[in-house]
Amino acid sequence: MRNLKLVHSVCVVGLDDIAGTQCVTVDCDTGTVYCVTSDRITGLDPKTQQVLHSVSLIENAYVSMDGTGQIVGIQYLPDQMSVCIATAQGDVILWNTTNNELECVGSVDSGLCSMCWSPDQEVVVLATGQATLIMMTRDFEPVTEVPIYSDEFGEAQFVTVGWGKKETQFHGSEGKQAATKKQERAGPALPWDNRRPRVSWRGDGQYFVVSSVRPDTGTRELRVWSRECVLQSTSENVNGLEQALFWKPSGSLIASTQRKPNKHDVVFFEKNGLRHGEFTLPFEKDEVKVVELMWNTESTILAVWCEELPPANNKQEEFHPRSYVQLWVVNNYHWYLKQSLQFGADGTENLVAMTWDPEHANCLHTVTAEGRYTQYTWSWFTDCSHGQEDDANVAVIDGATVLMTPFRTMVVPPPMSAYSLQLPCAVNQVVFAPPPHSNYLAVVLVDGQVAVYTFEKDSVEMDETVRLCAAGGIGFKAVCTLPRLEMFYSIIFEDTSISAAKFPLWAYHLTWVSNQCIVFTMLDTKGSRCILCQAELRNAEGQSGKLVVINTSDVEGSVFGICVNPRSGHVAVQLTDGTVLRYDPDSNIMLPWELLDGRELVFPQPCVSMQGCDIGGQEVVLGLTQRFRFYVNDVEVASNCTSFAVHDEFLLLTTHAHTCRCISLSTKVKDLPNLSDGKAHPFDESIRRVERGSRIVTVVPNDTKLVLQMPRGNLEVIHPRALVLSAVRKLLDCLEYKQAFTLMRRHRINMNLIYDHNPQVFLKNVETFVRQIEEVNHINLFLTDLQEEDVTVTMYTAAYCRDQPADNSEDKTKKVDTVCDMVRQALEKQDTGRYILSILTAYVKKSIPELDIALQRVKALKAQPQTNMVSAEEALKYLLFLVDVNELYDVALGTYDFELVLMVAEKSQKDPKEYLPFLNNLRKLETNYQRFTIDKYLKRYDRALEHISKCGPEHFSECLILIRDHLLYPKALKLYAMHSQEYKDISVAYGQYLTDKKQHEEAGLIYSKAGEHELALNAFEQAGNWRQVFIMSSRLGYGDERIGIIARRLVGSLKGKRRHLEAACVSEQYAQDVEEAIVVLIEGCQWEEALRMMYKYKRTDFIESDFKTALLENCDMQMSNLESDRKQFEQYKTRLVVVREDKERQRLDLIEGIGNYNEADADLFSDTSSATGETGMSSKLSQRSTAYSKSSGRSSRNRKKSERKKWSLKEGSPYEDIALLETLSKTITQIDQLKDDVSPLLKMLVLFNYETQAADLQKRYESFLQFIQKSLPVIWDNSNDHIGAAKPSMGPDSTVNSIVMARQHGERATPDVQIEPSLGIPPSLSKDKSWKLSTLEI
């Protein structure tokens, strides 16, 4: 649905050297245009409008001196920097443009009729006057010569295999009469046919076609030849075939023209000579003849050059025909006439030469008889309205018809439309008005008039120029607003001294900037200056108005594009060098467009499409080049952009990566380059895939529609998620819940967004929500879709940019329950009977479903049925749809209401023979025992215990079994009196259970509360609580002898637990054994306490016999341990440094691609490795992931045990560095805690005159501590930063979000060994120095 828009034109007038040009060619490197007349060849530079070269052909006798010489072909050869010319006399001339010399490289005596070079310019085909084809190389060496005419069809002759007859074949729409239809005989060539052969090459240079007139029949036919000049095929007989010929560069079709009795067609042939479609030219019978057909290099535009024929009754001696150039394009199997150029009929302005530019596909060069050269450059452009409240109209030019489609109300695929505008002549441009009348449009006609159409909603009569299509109405009723022709306007100049160069399309870049103001550009009469004109619409009486040019401004350069910001009304004018100017229509002043930093805006490359808008609070100019580079101001946002459009809140782009990108207009311009790489948050809704080659037609304002056109021409409407979410946000802000819900339901937006968008506002307006939604099914859909997560921070992160809330379980479980309760209350206020199903849904959806209340509501409905309400049976059926029938049966049973149970059971698949006897047996039981049985059946053991405890002593044994089986001891103790026998029995059972679980201390307390002091004593003894043991002994009344036995038994137990101080206390106070107490204290290194007891009981003899000996032995042991620990510490520290160096070296080798590693080596690399390393190890890590998944069923204890095994100190093991780090950390902690043992030992050594040993011990210990302090920075360097960091896991705690987010941040999602976070930081050393003795430092 794109039109051709003229973006640039160059006009050179007053050049006598090119007057009467016969052929033209272009140097694509320099842009020089070479024109050859009957007497000379001229090189023209369109940029400077100067003649660069000119050489006479008469002086060298290549053409006749009387000026009747004819040129049959011209071609510029860039490799030779020469122009090749073929004359009708038979000479092939080579003109060297560097030295301006002419050379005749060949001559044919019979003369030449045509010359055509292959696309690669390796060979040239010459058609001679003797009806032969001569093929020559680029060096003009003959290759072959063959006759043009032959009775043979060619190598591609069709083969008949003898299947069936013509009479029995299917002939399609022509019917059976086609079998008897005689083959049409082609008539002779038309009178105005010059009867010369035409040659045209296929784009790949493998084939060429020749159109020639047979000498025997006089008919024109086509012959296809191979590159070796071998005939391939001959066309079928076509009556009225004309001389025009051109092979489509893409190779699919050969174009020619055919005159029929009632119309004039452009016809197409395939390579095999068969017809393949046609289209009709918009001319009357015998009105014109087709001079040339030309495809552009991209095969997208077909130029048809026509020339008027003299009328049949013309008796004038002199007739000056008009010339027409029409540009046709095909889309969706329909041919559109996009541009029409009409040249004057005074004999000097008619067209004499034309060619497409070989480099720029949409650039056309034309030369008129008077020597005026004009260059036209078009670009593809979609003409659409840009208002906020308009119909999103799109206009498509098709000759004298403008096809209109309002995409806000309908989507009509081309070539159809909602309605069409029928104009008196061909249309060249369509311009839409700015807001607020953005539906208005101005149509520029080929005769220079401008037709203005307006829209009036109250208009009843249909304008006679408007044709309603089937898509635009049903019967006689229009389903869209139709325009009305206001008036035809003619462009006039208020200042009569100003005049324009009157050539086709002299006024271009028409832009409607305000209600009555239109600006456009033109060239002056000499074509040297570009003028920007400001015109005003002035109505006049009758059917014609005036578009009066009131202001003009000279432009320093040539205008390449004009656009208007629909919001601000500012006009941006782009020049051919990319410079952007700001034009003020009020003051008629044109100044450079300044950016915020003071720089002048210059596009790096000229942009064929422009649009103004606001991005990030800054007014910007958008530009798209022909090479798909998209700019916002001078910032390149995308290098593969195919189309763009501006929505209310988004900038939409389509790319060659077959994606559609929606960029928020609130984004800062400086941040835009970061959005063009196509990478986004995994839940970013701004990118979506589209069909290959899709381009934007329009985006409907204040809506979610984005209309795309596929390469083959059909339309596709999509609703980008970003636009949908934006519309939903606006509707929710306006409390338009009904529209928002409908939009979300249609586009499958999570219904949680209704609440999560603004929870406080929703809760305040729940009644409004219910009132608007109204439909029960819709309310049910909303409730069933509720979930605890906040979708604004999970699913729709990009649309809201909210932070993840703190993980608070209370808040998490509050959302669903709160919404369900609020909605249920609102529904009950509205109409409980009507919304009973929604009320049931609210009960069921809660985090803890209140199924029992829901069943009671169903039961109440059954008890009191009402008209116009859902029946109880339907409500129960709906409840069973939400909840599993077995679960609902259990809930009904748990209510102890057998009527409710039967009601549910009847709707289930349960066998009545099973549940009826069960229910009948329950009915017979006593109430408490009945409920106990039901609760036990439902596995509600707490409730079962409550009910069985009320059934009396006869059921206590059953109660005790229930308590033991389900460990209900604490709850059971609360249900019975403390001094009852039941309480004591439960306590004994509970104590036994705790004893079995090795919880002896708690078991002793339970026994003691129950009065079982003997059992309590044994439990406390096993727990090592010697104080409670002797308390229980006293309560049991034990004598001193028995207490002594217990005390000695406790001493041995406490010594085994290294509780020497407590063991000595028990031995002294309860066993009455002072000697044992002293020995125990000496064994436990409790030096001061042992010494105190010796002096208290006057047993100082132990000092010499036991105390000093133990003191020195302990000193020697401490010194030996310090020496061995230090040696081991130094060894592990050195090894750790070596291991880390090896790992870093292997990591760097892997990044450079020279490392070799096996599966075990894959774990040597820390999480600080680069992405390259991660990629290289992907296969190994996947194997580890598989192994991990197989072992995920292990218990946490076994997993930790297996992981510790990996931390082997063996050299070369995968986790040797972690094992070394853990060992060093433990050693440091142990050495630091040794102060508590060393300090009292030093004091005793000094007290007993062992200063030498004490000083040596203190020195060694302090030296070790200092060495550890210095080693901490070496052991805990930066390589430990990754230890303890949060890592994603593939285990049961991972989610899709966590894995995807981890991948976005470059983290590995493979399971790794869990390392204690404490290993990442060094242990803290105590700074207390009180353990040292200053007397030993002398």
Short mmCIF file of all heavy atoms in Angstrom, two decimals, residues 698-739:
data_model
loop_
_atom_site.label_atom_id
_atom_site.label_comp_id
_atom_site.label_asym_id
_atom_site.label_seq_id
_atom_site.Cartn_x
_atom_site.Cartn_y
_atom_site.Cartn_z
N THR A 698 0.38 1.24 8.71
CA THR A 698 -0.02 2.30 9.64
C THR A 698 -0.26 1.67 10.99
O THR A 698 -0.43 0.45 11.11
CB THR A 698 -1.29 3.01 9.15
OG1 THR A 698 -1.55 4.14 10.00
CG2 THR A 698 -2.49 2.10 9.17
N VAL A 699 -0.26 2.51 12.00
CA VAL A 699 -0.64 2.10 13.35
C VAL A 699 -1.80 2.99 13.76
O VAL A 699 -1.76 4.20 13.61
CB VAL A 699 0.54 2.20 14.34
CG1 VAL A 699 1.11 3.61 14.39
CG2 VAL A 699 0.13 1.74 15.73
N VAL A 700 -2.87 2.37 14.26
CA VAL A 700 -4.08 3.12 14.57
C VAL A 700 -3.88 3.87 15.88
O VAL A 700 -3.57 3.25 16.90
CB VAL A 700 -5.29 2.16 14.67
CG1 VAL A 700 -6.56 2.95 14.98
CG2 VAL A 700 -5.45 1.38 13.38
N PRO A 701 -4.03 5.19 15.89
CA PRO A 701 -3.83 5.96 17.13
C PRO A 701 -4.86 5.58 18.18
O PRO A 701 -6.00 5.23 17.87
CB PRO A 701 -3.99 7.43 16.68
CG PRO A 701 -3.85 7.40 15.20
CD PRO A 701 -4.34 6.06 14.74
N ASN A 702 -4.44 5.64 19.45
CA ASN A 702 -5.31 5.32 20.58
C ASN A 702 -5.95 3.95 20.42
O ASN A 702 -7.11 3.74 20.78
CB ASN A 702 -6.39 6.39 20.76
CG ASN A 702 -5.81 7.72 21.18
OD1 ASN A 702 -4.86 7.77 21.96
ND2 ASN A 702 -6.35 8.81 20.64
N ASP A 703 -5.23 3.04 19.82
CA ASP A 703 -5.71 1.68 19.62
C ASP A 703 -4.50 0.76 19.66
O ASP A 703 -3.37 1.20 19.86
CB ASP A 703 -6.45 1.56 18.28
CG ASP A 703 -7.44 0.40 18.27
OD1 ASP A 703 -7.24 -0.54 19.06
OD2 ASP A 703 -8.39 0.42 17.47
N THR A 704 -4.74 -0.52 19.46
CA THR A 704 -3.65 -1.49 19.51
C THR A 704 -3.33 -2.10 18.15
O THR A 704 -2.47 -2.96 18.05
CB THR A 704 -4.02 -2.62 20.49
OG1 THR A 704 -5.19 -3.29 20.02
CG2 THR A 704 -4.28 -2.08 21.88
N LYS A 705 -3.99 -1.66 17.10
CA LYS A 705 -3.81 -2.25 15.78
C LYS A 705 -2.51 -1.76 15.15
O LYS A 705 -2.25 -0.56 15.11
CB LYS A 705 -4.97 -1.88 14.85
CG LYS A 705 -6.28 -2.55 15.16
CD LYS A 705 -7.31 -2.11 14.12
CE LYS A 705 -8.70 -2.67 14.43
NZ LYS A 705 -9.69 -2.18 13.47
N LEU A 706 -1.75 -2.69 14.63
CA LEU A 706 -0.60 -2.39 13.79
C LEU A 706 -0.81 -3.17 12.49
O LEU A 706 -0.86 -4.39 12.49
CB LEU A 706 0.71 -2.81 14.47
CG LEU A 706 1.97 -2.61 13.63
CD1 LEU A 706 2.19 -1.14 13.33
CD2 LEU A 706 3.19 -3.19 14.33
N VAL A 707 -0.92 -2.44 11.39
CA VAL A 707 -1.19 -3.05 10.10
C VAL A 707 0.12 -3.25 9.36
O VAL A 707 0.88 -2.30 9.16
CB VAL A 707 -2.15 -2.18 9.26
CG1 VAL A 707 -2.50 -2.89 7.95
CG2 VAL A 707 -3.42 -1.86 10.05
N LEU A 708 0.40 -4.48 8.97
CA LEU A 708 1.61 -4.83 8.24
C LEU A 708 1.23 -5.33 6.85
O LEU A 708 0.18 -5.96 6.68
CB LEU A 708 2.40 -5.92 8.97
CG LEU A 708 2.85 -5.61 10.40
CD1 LEU A 708 3.50 -6.85 11.02
CD2 LEU A 708 3.81 -4.45 10.45
N GLN A 709 2.10 -5.06 5.90
CA GLN A 709 1.91 -5.60 4.56
C GLN A 709 3.04 -6.55 4.22
O GLN A 709 4.21 -6.23 4.42
CB GLN A 709 1.83 -4.48 3.51
CG GLN A 709 1.47 -4.99 2.12
CD GLN A 709 1.15 -3.88 1.14
OE1 GLN A 709 1.64 -2.77 1.29
NE2 GLN A 709 0.34 -4.17 0.15
N MET A 710 2.65 -7.71 3.72
CA MET A 710 3.62 -8.73 3.36
C MET A 710 4.19 -8.43 1.97
O MET A 710 3.63 -7.65 1.20
CB MET A 710 2.96 -10.11 3.35
CG MET A 710 2.24 -10.47 4.63
SD MET A 710 3.28 -10.42 6.09
CE MET A 710 2.64 -8.97 6.92
N PRO A 711 5.32 -9.03 1.62
CA PRO A 711 5.91 -8.76 0.29
C PRO A 711 4.97 -9.08 -0.86
O PRO A 711 5.00 -8.41 -1.88
CB PRO A 711 7.14 -9.68 0.28
CG PRO A 711 7.50 -9.87 1.71
CD PRO A 711 6.19 -9.87 2.44
N ARG A 712 4.12 -10.09 -0.70
CA ARG A 712 3.22 -10.44 -1.81
C ARG A 712 2.02 -9.52 -1.88
O ARG A 712 1.22 -9.62 -2.82
CB ARG A 712 2.76 -11.89 -1.66
CG ARG A 712 2.06 -12.20 -0.36
CD ARG A 712 1.75 -13.68 -0.25
NE ARG A 712 1.18 -14.04 1.04
CZ ARG A 712 1.89 -14.38 2.09
NH1 ARG A 712 3.21 -14.38 2.00
NH2 ARG A 712 1.31 -14.71 3.23
N GLY A 713 1.83 -8.62 -0.88
CA GLY A 713 0.80 -7.61 -0.95
C GLY A 713 -0.33 -7.75 0.03
O GLY A 713 -1.07 -6.80 0.25
N ASN A 714 -0.53 -8.93 0.63
CA ASN A 714 -1.63 -9.08 1.56
C ASN A 714 -1.32 -8.39 2.88
O ASN A 714 -0.17 -8.11 3.20
CB ASN A 714 -1.93 -10.57 1.80
CG ASN A 714 -0.74 -11.30 2.39
OD1 ASN A 714 0.37 -11.17 1.89
ND2 ASN A 714 -0.96 -12.05 3.44
N LEU A 715 -2.37 -8.11 3.64
CA LEU A 715 -2.24 -7.39 4.91
C LEU A 715 -2.36 -8.33 6.09
O LEU A 715 -2.99 -9.38 6.01
CB LEU A 715 -3.32 -6.31 5.02
CG LEU A 715 -3.33 -5.21 3.96
CD1 LEU A 715 -4.43 -4.23 4.25
CD2 LEU A 715 -1.98 -4.51 3.88
N GLU A 716 -1.73 -7.93 7.16
CA GLU A 716 -1.84 -8.68 8.42
C GLU A 716 -1.92 -7.66 9.55
O GLU A 716 -1.10 -6.75 9.63
CB GLU A 716 -0.63 -9.59 8.61
CG GLU A 716 -0.67 -10.39 9.90
CD GLU A 716 0.51 -11.34 10.04
OE1 GLU A 716 0.95 -11.88 9.00
OE2 GLU A 716 0.99 -11.52 11.17
N VAL A 717 -2.91 -7.81 10.40
CA VAL A 717 -3.09 -6.91 11.55
C VAL A 717 -2.63 -7.64 12.80
O VAL A 717 -3.09 -8.75 13.09
CB VAL A 717 -4.55 -6.47 11.69
CG1 VAL A 717 -4.73 -5.61 12.94
CG2 VAL A 717 -4.99 -5.70 10.47
N ILE A 718 -1.71 -7.05 13.51
CA ILE A 718 -1.23 -7.61 14.76
C ILE A 718 -1.49 -6.59 15.87
O ILE A 718 -1.72 -5.41 15.61
CB ILE A 718 0.27 -7.98 14.70
CG1 ILE A 718 1.12 -6.72 14.49
CG2 ILE A 718 0.53 -9.00 13.62
CD1 ILE A 718 2.61 -6.98 14.58
N HIS A 719 -1.46 -7.08 17.07
CA HIS A 719 -1.63 -6.23 18.25
C HIS A 719 -0.40 -6.42 19.13
O HIS A 719 -0.38 -7.32 19.98
CB HIS A 719 -2.91 -6.60 19.01
CG HIS A 719 -4.17 -6.43 18.21
ND1 HIS A 719 -4.95 -5.30 18.30
CD2 HIS A 719 -4.76 -7.23 17.28
CE1 HIS A 719 -5.98 -5.42 17.48
NE2 HIS A 719 -5.89 -6.58 16.85
N PRO A 720 0.65 -5.63 18.95
CA PRO A 720 1.86 -5.80 19.76
C PRO A 720 1.53 -5.72 21.25
O PRO A 720 0.71 -4.90 21.67
CB PRO A 720 2.74 -4.63 19.32
CG PRO A 720 2.27 -4.30 17.94
CD PRO A 720 0.79 -4.56 17.96
N ARG A 721 2.16 -6.58 22.00
CA ARG A 721 1.85 -6.66 23.42
C ARG A 721 2.11 -5.33 24.13
O ARG A 721 1.39 -4.96 25.07
CB ARG A 721 2.69 -7.79 24.06
CG ARG A 721 2.32 -8.13 25.50
CD ARG A 721 0.86 -8.47 25.64
NE ARG A 721 0.45 -9.58 24.83
CZ ARG A 721 0.43 -10.84 25.26
NH1 ARG A 721 0.82 -11.11 26.48
NH2 ARG A 721 0.02 -11.79 24.47
N ALA A 722 3.13 -4.59 23.69
CA ALA A 722 3.40 -3.30 24.32
C ALA A 722 2.24 -2.34 24.13
O ALA A 722 1.86 -1.62 25.07
CB ALA A 722 4.68 -2.71 23.72
N LEU A 723 1.63 -2.33 22.94
CA LEU A 723 0.48 -1.45 22.69
C LEU A 723 -0.73 -1.90 23.47
O LEU A 723 -1.50 -1.08 23.99
CB LEU A 723 0.17 -1.41 21.20
CG LEU A 723 0.88 -0.35 20.36
CD1 LEU A 723 2.39 -0.55 20.38
CD2 LEU A 723 0.38 -0.35 18.92
N VAL A 724 -0.91 -3.21 23.58
CA VAL A 724 -2.05 -3.73 24.33
C VAL A 724 -1.93 -3.38 25.80
O VAL A 724 -2.89 -2.91 26.43
CB VAL A 724 -2.16 -5.26 24.15
CG1 VAL A 724 -3.25 -5.83 25.05
CG2 VAL A 724 -2.45 -5.61 22.70
N LEU A 725 -0.74 -3.57 26.36
CA LEU A 725 -0.54 -3.24 27.78
C LEU A 725 -0.70 -1.75 28.03
O LEU A 725 -1.22 -1.34 29.07
CB LEU A 725 0.85 -3.71 28.22
CG LEU A 725 1.06 -5.23 28.27
CD1 LEU A 725 2.49 -5.56 28.61
CD2 LEU A 725 0.12 -5.86 29.29
N SER A 726 -0.25 -0.94 27.09
CA SER A 726 -0.43 0.49 27.23
C SER A 726 -1.90 0.86 27.25
O SER A 726 -2.35 1.67 28.07
CB SER A 726 0.28 1.22 26.08
OG SER A 726 0.02 2.60 26.10
N ALA A 727 -2.68 0.27 26.35
CA ALA A 727 -4.12 0.53 26.33
C ALA A 727 -4.80 0.04 27.61
O ALA A 727 -5.69 0.71 28.15
CB ALA A 727 -4.75 -0.13 25.11
N VAL A 728 -4.38 -1.12 28.09
CA VAL A 728 -4.96 -1.65 29.33
C VAL A 728 -4.65 -0.73 30.50
O VAL A 728 -5.53 -0.46 31.34
CB VAL A 728 -4.43 -3.08 29.59
CG1 VAL A 728 -4.81 -3.55 30.99
CG2 VAL A 728 -4.96 -4.04 28.55
N ARG A 729 -3.43 -0.22 30.57
CA ARG A 729 -3.07 0.69 31.67
C ARG A 729 -3.95 1.94 31.65
O ARG A 729 -4.42 2.41 32.69
CB ARG A 729 -1.60 1.08 31.57
CG ARG A 729 -0.63 -0.04 31.85
CD ARG A 729 0.74 0.50 32.23
NE ARG A 729 1.25 1.41 31.21
CZ ARG A 729 1.99 1.04 30.18
NH1 ARG A 729 2.29 -0.24 30.03
NH2 ARG A 729 2.44 1.91 29.31
N LYS A 730 -4.15 2.51 30.47
CA LYS A 730 -4.99 3.71 30.37
C LYS A 730 -6.42 3.41 30.81
O LYS A 730 -7.04 4.20 31.53
CB LYS A 730 -4.99 4.21 28.93
CG LYS A 730 -3.65 4.78 28.46
CD LYS A 730 -3.75 5.25 27.01
CE LYS A 730 -2.42 5.79 26.52
NZ LYS A 730 -2.49 6.20 25.09
N LEU A 731 -6.96 2.28 30.38
CA LEU A 731 -8.33 1.94 30.74
C LEU A 731 -8.46 1.70 32.25
O LEU A 731 -9.46 2.10 32.87
CB LEU A 731 -8.78 0.70 29.96
CG LEU A 731 -8.94 0.89 28.45
CD1 LEU A 731 -9.19 -0.44 27.77
CD2 LEU A 731 -10.07 1.86 28.15
N LEU A 732 -7.49 1.04 32.84
CA LEU A 732 -7.54 0.79 34.28
C LEU A 732 -7.41 2.09 35.07
O LEU A 732 -8.03 2.25 36.12
CB LEU A 732 -6.44 -0.20 34.69
CG LEU A 732 -6.61 -1.64 34.17
CD1 LEU A 732 -5.42 -2.50 34.57
CD2 LEU A 732 -7.90 -2.26 34.69
N ASP A 733 -6.58 3.00 34.57
CA ASP A 733 -6.47 4.29 35.25
C ASP A 733 -7.79 5.06 35.20
O ASP A 733 -8.10 5.81 36.13
CB ASP A 733 -5.36 5.13 34.60
CG ASP A 733 -3.97 4.59 34.91
OD1 ASP A 733 -3.84 3.90 35.94
OD2 ASP A 733 -3.04 4.84 34.13
N CYS A 734 -8.55 4.87 34.13
CA CYS A 734 -9.85 5.55 33.99
C CYS A 734 -10.98 4.73 34.60
O CYS A 734 -12.16 5.10 34.44
CB CYS A 734 -10.14 5.83 32.52
SG CYS A 734 -8.94 6.91 31.72
N LEU A 735 -10.65 3.63 35.26
CA LEU A 735 -11.63 2.73 35.88
C LEU A 735 -12.60 2.16 34.85
O LEU A 735 -13.76 1.86 35.17
CB LEU A 735 -12.41 3.45 36.99
CG LEU A 735 -11.56 4.05 38.13
CD1 LEU A 735 -12.46 4.68 39.19
CD2 LEU A 735 -10.66 3.02 38.76
N GLU A 736 -12.13 2.00 33.63
CA GLU A 736 -12.94 1.37 32.59
C GLU A 736 -12.66 -0.13 32.60
O GLU A 736 -12.01 -0.69 31.72
CB GLU A 736 -12.62 1.97 31.22
CG GLU A 736 -12.95 3.43 31.07
CD GLU A 736 -14.46 3.68 31.05
OE1 GLU A 736 -15.20 2.70 30.83
OE2 GLU A 736 -14.87 4.84 31.24
N TYR A 737 -13.19 -0.80 33.63
CA TYR A 737 -12.87 -2.20 33.83
C TYR A 737 -13.46 -3.09 32.75
O TYR A 737 -12.86 -4.10 32.37
CB TYR A 737 -13.35 -2.66 35.21
CG TYR A 737 -12.60 -2.02 36.35
CD1 TYR A 737 -13.21 -1.10 37.19
CD2 TYR A 737 -11.27 -2.33 36.58
CE1 TYR A 737 -12.53 -0.52 38.25
CE2 TYR A 737 -10.57 -1.75 37.63
CZ TYR A 737 -11.20 -0.85 38.45
OH TYR A 737 -10.51 -0.27 39.48
N LYS A 738 -14.62 -2.75 32.25
CA LYS A 738 -15.27 -3.57 31.23
C LYS A 738 -14.42 -3.60 29.96
O LYS A 738 -14.14 -4.69 29.42
CB LYS A 738 -16.66 -3.01 30.93
CG LYS A 738 -17.40 -3.74 29.81
CD LYS A 738 -17.76 -5.16 30.21
CE LYS A 738 -18.61 -5.83 29.15
NZ LYS A 738 -18.95 -7.22 29.51
N GLN A 739 -14.01 -2.44 29.48
CA GLN A 739 -13.20 -2.40 28.27
C GLN A 739 -11.84 -3.05 28.49
O GLN A 739 -11.32 -3.75 27.62
CB GLN A 739 -13.02 -0.95 27.81
CG GLN A 739 -14.31 -0.25 27.44
CD GLN A 739 -14.08 1.17 26.97
OE1 GLN A 739 -13.10 1.45 26.28
NE2 GLN A 739 -14.97 2.08 27.33
#
